Every structure is written in structure tokens, then in C-alpha cells.
Amino acid sequence: LIAAAVLLQAASMQRGPGEHAPKGLAEPEDGPEWLLDFALGPRDEIPQLIIEQVDGASCTLRVLAFWFTYLPIADAIVRAHARGIDVRVLLDARSTTHKLEGACSTRAGCAHLAARRNVAQYLQSQGVPVQIIHPSARPGPVRSRPPIFHPKAIVVDGVTACFGSSNWYLRALQEHDEHYLCVHSRRVAAGFERFAARRQIAGWSDPHARSNGSGCELCADQLQCNSTGAHHTADAPPQVLDFRLLAGPFFGPESALDEVWQKYIRAARSRVRVVHWRLDWAPLVDDLRLASRLGVNVSIFTETQVKSTATSDSPISTHVFGPRRTAAHGQPHTILFHHKVILVDEDIVLLGSVNAFRKSLREDSEDLTVFRSVHVAARLDALCERHGQFRPGGV
């Protein structure tokens, strides 16, 4: 399989204190980029952010989801379709194997919740176009754990992209340690649209088309269009350095996302923080050891560490929490530390859906964005400090 990537050059528009553009990098051709919001779970920040962006759509809405059962987000998608927004939804088959959950606010939503139907059934019943990616449709040898379609993203009006670690089911949104990011970036938004369009979905709009067929001009041809409900952080805007998509072998070309990790870790000057759900990728561990031997301060925050980083010549601060087990309504379940982030130096953030193990990096469909943001880095640093100080050795 040949590599396929959507490479974004750095953006430097509207910079403020603490946000410095890399030398020699030009203004992005597709206009300014800025951070709309960054949310950390648990609690209600992440679902509120997603619903806010969906409700703010004025023209088009694209949804790419792995595990989606949360009814309030589905209701927001139905509302968007009902007011004439061009909506397309692409789901992994996992979303059809779990029933709707969460509070209902409409008669149709409550009926589907009571009938224990899944999100695809609900959306399709309301006329929303939905495409399901089934494991059985993927060519190649039969696997006990087949490749998955793993993004958790929305694209609003061709200019806003929201993505992160959090799946859209009740426990993930309200209990797990997660992150979610919304950026105004035509290049990132177009990258996700092309990512979905490669699936050859009937009726999936061309992201470069000027009309969605209803007379609505696509917002990729406008300066700003998703102002409703969106709010900017007080911090300076991010500078998108790189955006990569791994299509997975069942859809064709793959992009070596681990090579992006390697590039930035090897260029680190002062520190690297790996904040990942599961660390089980030997090349990443080797790069961390090398960085540590070169004097870079390396620390790891993970729920499950499979590949050891302990060596005498490369001291690495490692915090392994383990999953927290609890019981709600009499049913035991696990609360995950589910982040997928690498922080390099003071402001470079590598963030997306991709996990640090082979199946995610070589078989699944994933996304990874690299950007500069003091604001996002500082919030993730605070998360690490909180976990390292108050929950050493276990959650």
C-alpha cells in the first residue's frame, strides 16, 4: 500500500503572545485558521461542544463516527437536517450494535430510545443519509478483530472541523478522561471531507462543489459562515503544521502516522509528554528513549503500558494509571484514561483518534493533526500534573 496524506503547511494568521510561526512557513492558501474550542472530559463539556457546533451549521454537516449511541447528539443532527442543512453521516458498524442512550427531547427520539433501536435506525427514519461501514465488506483475510473506521469527527459548513479522542456513547462522554477540539480550518475540514469521499459514498457531496443542490453556497467559498454558537478562545490561534489520515487497508492507501510522531519527537528541544490510552508501539518507545538520552525531558501518562521504557541510560518519568473500575446503577464498568496526545516542547500538540499500537497504526482508519497552541498545550499539561500529583500508580 502506498502512503496517502493530506499535508498542511503552517498557518500564522492572527497570532498573539506565545504563538510563534515556524520560520520560513507561508500563510495558508485557504485562509486563516483558529481554535474555536477545546474541551476535556469527563462532565458535559464535550457533548455540549459537539451539539453547539451541529446546531450552528448553516449549510453542510458531515459526521464520521466510530461508536455513536448518544441521543442528544443524534437529535442535534436531526434538527440540522430538518432545517435544510445538507447532512451526511458515515458510521462504523459498531454504532449499529449498540442501542441509543441518553436523555430524549423529541417524540421520535423517545420512541426509538424506548424501542431500543440504534442511532442509524433513528437517523434514517428521520431522512438523514447514513452510510454504514461493515467489517464483512472489507476485503482481505478474516481477522478476529477486523479493521475499524475510528474517527470521531464532524465537519461544519466546510470550514470547521471537530475531532478528538472521545467516542459518542454515554460513558465516554460523561465519565471517561477524553479530549475534543474544534478548529476553523478549511484545509483540515476539506481533508476530512476527502477522507469520507474516498469511501465512494453515493450522494456524498464533493467538498469542492459550489452548491449542495439546494441553492446553498458551500461555506468553503466564504470567509466565515459558522459563527452561530461558535466562540473563540482568548488564546492566540493555532498553527496547523500537519494533518494526516490513515485510510486503512480495506479502503486503499495508508499513511504512516507513526512517522509523524517520530519526526516531531526527534526534533524536540526541551520536553516530550506522551498522553496515550495504551502504549504498545516499540518504534515510539525507541524514539522516546533516544530523545531522553539526548537530554530531552520525557514523560509518559498512560492507562496501559505494554512496551517498557525502563533503561539505565534514558530516564523516563512514567505514570501508569490503570483503568478505574466503578459501579453505576448496580452495573460494574470501567472508566478509561482515553487520550491520544503527544506534546512536544511548549506548544506543539499531536492529537487525533490514532492509538499507539499496531492495529490502529497499520489497519484501522484514523486521523492525526499536528498544530501549535499554547492554550491547548497548557490545558493538557494541567491534566498531566493533576493525574501525576493526585493519582500516582493508579486511578
Side-chain angles (χ1 to χ4, degrees):
L1 299 177
I2 61 173
V6 181
L7 178 64
L8 302 180
Q9 298 298 328
S12 58
M13 281 290 285
Q14 303 179 351
R15 284 184 294 277
E19 299 277 6
H20 303 289
K23 293 182 179 180
L25 292 174
E27 192 70 47
E29 296 177 0
D30 292 324
E33 294 170 324
W34 60 77
L35 178 67
L36 291 171
D37 211 338
F38 179 69
L40 289 170
R43 297 181 299 278
D44 293 327
E45 285 187 53
I46 293 176
Q48 287 175 353
L49 173 58
I50 296 170
I51 292 169
E52 177 183 85
Q53 293 298 324
V54 172
D55 282 340
S58 60
C59 185
T60 61
L61 175 66
R62 304 292 181 250
V63 178
L64 301 85
F66 168 57
W67 189 342
F68 182 8
T69 65
Y70 192 58
L71 183 55
I73 295 178
D75 281 338
I77 294 170
V78 171
R79 287 195 299 271
H81 175 72
R83 66 176 186 269
I85 304 302
D86 178 15
V87 180
R88 299 287 187 272
V89 177
L90 182 61
L91 300 175
D92 187 88
R94 178 180 287 261
S95 293
T96 67
T97 62
H98 297 269
K99 307 307 178 186
L100 285 165
E101 53 187 350
C104 63
S105 59
T106 67
R107 180 178 297 179
C110 292
H112 279 75
L113 183 67
R116 298 181 58 80
R117 293 175 180 151
N118 62 54
V119 70
Q121 291 171 319
Y122 174 43
L123 294 176
Q124 289 170 331
S125 75
Q126 302 304 300
V128 178
V130 177
Q131 175 85 14
I132 308 298
I133 298 178
H134 296 278
S136 60
R138 299 162 181 165
V142 176
R143 300 177 176 90
S144 58
R145 297 185 63 191
I148 59 176
F149 180 72
H150 201 226
K152 312 98 168 32
I154 60 173
V155 180
V156 180
D157 297 333
V159 292
T160 295
C162 301
F163 49 93
S165 68
S166 182
N167 291 298
W168 301 352
Y169 62 93
L170 190 63
R171 288 174 182 166
L173 291 166
Q174 296 188 354
E175 298 179 6
H176 294 177
D177 264 298
E178 307 274 9
H179 61 264
Y180 212 74
L181 175 79
C182 287
V183 295
H184 178 105
S185 171
R186 292 173 182 167
R187 291 186 176 184
V188 175
F192 272 114
E193 292 225 17
R194 285 193 294 270
F195 188 40
R198 283 209 300 269
R199 276 73 186 144
Q200 299 179 349
I201 304 165
W204 193 285
S205 296
D206 181 351
H208 300 292
R210 291 193 169 270
S211 172
N212 66 3
S214 62
C216 176
E217 291 298 309
L218 288 184
C219 294
D221 296 321
Q222 303 171 12
L223 178 61
Q224 292 186 43
C225 61
N226 184 31
S227 57
T228 305
H231 58 279
H232 302 273
T233 64
D235 187 55
Q239 304 158 27
V240 178
L241 305 177
D242 205 345
F243 178 57
R244 302 290 181 106
L245 296 164
L246 172 61
F250 51 91
F251 281 135
E254 78 175 41
S255 175
L257 302 186
D258 53 309
E259 292 180 2
V260 181
W261 289 344
Q262 181 183 81
K263 170 185 173 181
Y264 285 92
I265 290 172
R266 291 189 177 185
R269 300 185 303 274
S270 58
R271 65 88 182 250
V272 174
R273 274 188 166 173
V274 177
V275 190
H276 260 261
W277 169 51
R278 181 182 178 191
L279 183 57
D280 188 15
W281 185 244
L284 173 59
V285 172
D286 290 342
D287 286 328
L288 296 174
R289 288 173 177 162
L290 175 61
S292 179
R293 285 197 295 268
L294 294 175
V296 174
N297 186 342
V298 178
S299 55
I300 295 170
F301 297 79
T302 184
E303 180 180 282
T304 305
Q305 181 181 355
V306 180
K307 300 298 182 183
S308 174
T309 56
T311 62
S312 59
D313 61 340
S314 58
I316 296 177
S317 173
T318 303
H319 305 262
V320 181
F321 304 121
R324 178 162 58 121
R325 305 192 184 280
T326 186
H329 309 294
Q331 297 295 322
H333 65 276
T334 299
I335 296 177
L336 300 180
F337 182 83
H338 197 235
H339 300 283
K340 302 110 174 1
V341 179
I342 297 178
L343 304 175
V344 176
D345 296 331
E346 299 306 315
D347 61 352
I348 296 179
V349 184
L350 295 84
L351 174 154
S353 66
V354 63
N355 290 298
F357 52 83
R358 187 187 185 283
K359 180 176 179 294
S360 178
L361 288 160
R362 292 294 181 265
E363 298 182 14
D364 298 338
S365 288
E366 306 282 5
D367 61 85
L368 176 65
T369 302
V370 185
F371 59 95
R372 289 184 183 271
S373 174
V374 171
H375 171 76
V376 173
R379 290 198 63 187
L380 289 166
D381 276 335
L383 170 78
C384 293
E385 296 300 330
R386 194 162 61 246
H387 278 278
Q389 180 178 359
F390 296 111
R391 293 188 272 186
V395 179

